[in-house]
Amino acid sequence: MKRVVIKIFKVLSWTIVALLLLLFGMIQVVYTDWFQDKLRTEFVSRVNASGELKFTLDELSIDFPLNVSLAGLSVVEPQNDTLIAAKKVMADVGVLPLLRGVVAVDDAILSDAHYRMGNADSVMFMKIVASSLSITEAEVSLISNTIDLHQSEIQGGRIDLLLKNDTTSPPADSSQSTPWTINAKDVLLNDFTYHMAIESSIDSLSTHFIDAMISNVAVNLGAQTLTVELLKGEGLDAAFIAWDAPASPQKEDEQPSKPWTIMIDSIDFIQSKALYAMPNVYPLPGMDFNYLSFDSLELKVASFYNKASEISIP
């Protein structure tokens, strides 16, 4: 009886060893150049099979456990509008968080990056272009629809943001549609341009930063709110063109529009220039409150608030 038990134990032991060796071998295959090239070509082929998008990926490299490197990435719509593009992408992705529907990234670097969300007719249209984008500690929850960024830095970048009033009826069951929220602790900007227009609020807001930092940013696409704790830096060149268009007549079946709300606790800039004007207005001699221009400006603002045509600066 004892010899039978020992024999069974040996068989089980060798079976476990064989399974571990097989698993180890399969893992080793995953990290070979041959397998990763096959994976890349198959993935590109399957994505392009639908004909809805043109997907390109020139290189794919995966190091243990999930350090991903991509080159020559692009996603293009049939109208030849680029949705996503990057010359190089390197990201250290966590494995275990994926099991709970969270994409956790310790570090990520993108070069010559391009991203577009929506189009000119969408409620929200955003286009981001950057020579270099680095991210430290980021999480994207596919279940709660949240994006959390610990620290990010953009060099040689530009963001174009167009926000329109959402006149669509809310879903009957709000649990079926969870709006995205974006939170960022610190965002560093170098040689950065930002252009924004908000229907019924801002005709145009154009800013260029030599160096700037934005702290504790929160964007709620459902509530249509943007809050910032601190915006500071140097070399700000800003132009604010107020909204002066007549309100569009509301259709009978159209829901009342909900304007975006912007709140910034503190703004602090040195060596800056600023312009405030109404649309299509040229400065008159003397003081013209419809056209105010400032040079060599040290800008300090507390509790900035903007909602539709309402602007509050205590």
Side-chain angles (χ1 to χ4, degrees):
M1 181 67 180
K2 184 178 180 180
R3 294 176 62 185
V4 173
V5 172
I6 293 175
K7 188 175 181 179
I8 293 175
F9 177 77
K10 287 183 177 181
V11 171
L12 291 175
S13 299
W14 281 110
T15 301
I16 293 174
V17 170
L19 290 174
L20 290 175
L21 289 174
L22 178 62
L23 179 62
F24 180 76
M26 294 175 63
I27 293 176
Q28 287 294 100
V29 170
V30 170
Y31 293 105
T32 62
D33 294 338
W34 171 84
F35 179 84
Q36 292 179 11
D37 188 62
K38 290 290 185 182
L39 178 64
R40 179 188 64 83
T41 54
E42 181 65 22
F43 182 75
V44 171
S45 177
R46 287 183 177 273
V47 173
N48 290 329
S50 63
E52 297 179 358
L53 298 172
K54 182 181 179 182
F55 179 74
T56 303
L57 181 60
D58 295 337
E59 297 179 13
L60 168 65
S61 176
I62 305 174
D63 296 326
F64 185 86
L66 198 54
N67 296 327
V68 182
S69 178
L70 310 175
L73 170 68
S74 68
V75 180
V76 181
E77 288 184 316
Q79 300 83 3
N80 290 326
D81 292 329
T82 301
L83 297 177
I84 300 173
K87 183 178 180 180
K88 189 78 174 180
V89 179
M90 293 182 290
D92 183 6
V93 183
V95 177
L96 294 180
L98 294 174
L99 301 178
R100 51 187 177 88
V102 175
V103 180
V105 178
D106 290 334
D107 295 286
I109 299 176
L110 292 82
S111 61
D112 293 337
H114 175 109
Y115 172 76
R116 180 173 65 83
M117 175 189 292
N119 53 56
D121 296 325
S122 303
V123 173
M124 175 180 178
F125 169 75
M126 180 170 62
K127 181 180 179 181
I128 303 175
V129 179
S131 298
S132 175
L133 169 62
S134 61
I135 299 173
T136 302
E137 295 183 18
E139 285 193 355
V140 179
S141 175
L142 304 178
I143 298 176
S144 60
N145 288 358
T146 58
I147 300 175
D148 294 303
L149 305 174
H150 179 73
Q151 185 173 23
S152 57
E153 181 176 359
I154 303 176
Q155 295 184 0
R158 178 184 175 92
I159 292 181
D160 291 284
L161 180 63
L162 173 61
L163 301 174
K164 292 186 177 181
N165 296 325
D166 189 358
T167 58
T168 59
S169 301
D173 184 0
S174 59
S175 64
Q176 295 179 1
S177 178
T178 304
W180 280 88
T181 58
I182 304 171
N183 303 298
K185 185 177 181 182
D186 291 314
V187 182
L188 305 178
L189 307 173
N190 178 261
D191 186 19
F192 182 82
T193 300
Y194 176 77
H195 179 268
M196 177 178 69
I198 302 180
E199 185 178 11
S200 303
S201 301
I202 300 174
D203 184 87
S204 174
L205 173 60
S206 299
T207 58
H208 179 265
F209 307 100
I210 295 178
D211 285 295
M213 182 180 73
I214 308 176
S215 297
N216 296 328
V217 181
V219 180
N220 189 314
L221 299 182
Q224 296 184 208
T225 59
L226 168 63
T227 60
V228 176
E229 182 178 291
L230 175 64
L231 173 60
K232 70 175 184 177
E234 64 173 323
L236 168 67
D237 189 351
F240 183 97
I241 309 301
W243 182 271
D244 194 35
S248 302
Q250 183 174 318
K251 300 178 181 179
E252 294 183 359
D253 58 345
E254 187 176 71
Q255 295 294 319
S257 62
K258 182 180 181 181
W260 275 78
T261 301
I262 301 174
M263 295 172 286
I264 305 177
D265 291 343
S266 178
I267 301 175
D268 188 355
F269 276 92
I270 60 174
Q271 301 176 8
S272 303
K273 297 188 296 183
L275 168 68
Y276 170 84
M278 301 300 292
N280 303 316
V281 170
Y282 296 94
L284 298 175
M287 178 67 73
D288 184 357
F289 288 100
N290 288 325
Y291 192 100
L292 300 174
S293 180
F294 305 92
D295 292 324
S296 302
L297 179 68
E298 182 174 342
L299 180 64
K300 292 183 181 291
V301 178
S303 301
F304 174 86
Y305 176 89
N306 172 239
K307 185 175 182 179
S309 59
E310 179 183 357
I311 298 177
S312 174
I313 303 177

